[in-house]
Amino acid sequence: MDARETRLTCTMNTSFSTGGSSSTTGKHPTFHGIRSRNGKWVAEIREPRKSSRIWLGTYPTAEMAAAAYDVAALALKGGDAMLNFQEFVGSYRVPESPEPGLIRSAAGEAAELMKLFREKEDDHKKKGGEEGETHQNDEFMDEEAIFDMPNLLVDMAEGMMVSPPRQPTTVEWSSGNSSECDNLWSY
């Protein structure tokens, strides 16, 4: 896990552990532009050089609201904006013009993207703790079923118990004829 994933996981775990508001003001301890309201998370952003704000929506998780804020910040402030999830910049659809309707729409898409990411991460964590599984490109591979492991081990144990085949009592060894020396049990 690299530093970006560690930060994302830590901030996501922090937001879920707080459950509701983390303080009396409702602001989130790590995310910018969001606050708690009645157990849900709301996002809004102030328009540059104006006193008005653009309402970005109400979301069930702090991560979704923070992603919505990130898209709005990119649309209004550009690459210099302070973001919650810098690692998702390439995944967001940022509107070309700073119209509030377009920003709200893109913010909703970013929130859904974060929801899908979180669900995929949760599924990956659930699968990661089970025994006998190998994950390659998020595909499940049950090694016991593929190699028939319980029976394979029993078959190998039975193979060790097999007696060697009977040998004829009169075996003549000739150094010139290799066909007679091909018997595995003769060594």
Side-chain angles (χ1 to χ4, degrees):
M1 183 180 291
D2 64 5
R4 291 181 304 172
E5 291 171 342
T6 303
R7 179 185 173 271
L8 178 62
T9 303
C10 290
T11 54
M12 288 181 141
N13 289 339
T14 301
S15 66
F16 280 110
S17 65
T18 59
S21 65
S22 59
S23 66
T24 58
T25 62
K27 289 185 177 181
H28 193 276
T30 39
F31 295 142
H32 304 285
I34 69 169
R35 58 188 163 84
S36 177
R37 179 193 271 177
N38 298 327
K40 294 187 178 182
W41 293 93
V42 297
E44 61 185 354
I45 189 167
R46 185 176 305 278
E47 293 184 84
R49 296 178 296 281
K50 293 183 182 178
S51 61
S52 62
R53 293 179 175 263
I54 299 175
W55 180 256
L56 302 174
T58 304
Y59 302 97
T61 66
E63 291 81 14
M64 292 174 69
Y69 174 84
D70 282 357
V71 168
L74 286 169
L76 294 172
K77 301 174 184 174
D80 295 332
M82 185 181 298
L83 301 177
N84 295 306
F85 301 112
Q86 184 70 34
E87 56 274 9
F88 283 99
V89 169
S91 303
Y92 295 141
R93 184 188 66 82
V94 180
E96 294 177 12
S97 67
E99 295 178 33
L102 295 175
I103 291 174
R104 266 190 290 279
S105 175
E109 290 176 16
E112 285 300 313
L113 176 73
M114 184 57 66
K115 179 181 176 185
L116 293 173
F117 174 78
R118 181 66 182 179
E119 289 171 355
K120 184 178 178 181
E121 184 183 64
D122 288 344
D123 288 345
H124 186 70
K125 285 181 182 177
K126 286 178 186 176
K127 291 179 182 178
E130 298 174 14
E131 292 182 26
E133 296 180 13
T134 302
H135 300 281
Q136 296 173 349
N137 298 329
D138 291 317
E139 294 180 18
F140 171 73
M141 179 178 21
D142 188 359
E143 294 171 351
E144 288 189 5
I146 291 173
F147 297 114
D148 195 21
M149 280 304 259
N151 292 334
L152 176 68
L153 297 175
V154 169
D155 292 344
M156 288 175 60
E158 287 177 359
M160 298 298 289
M161 303 298 288
V162 174
S163 300
R166 294 185 150 247
Q167 297 289 326
T169 56
T170 56
V171 176
E172 295 181 16
W173 300 99
S174 65
S175 60
N177 190 355
S178 65
S179 64
E180 292 178 12
C181 296
D182 290 337
N183 184 351
L184 174 66
W185 299 103
S186 66
Y187 294 100

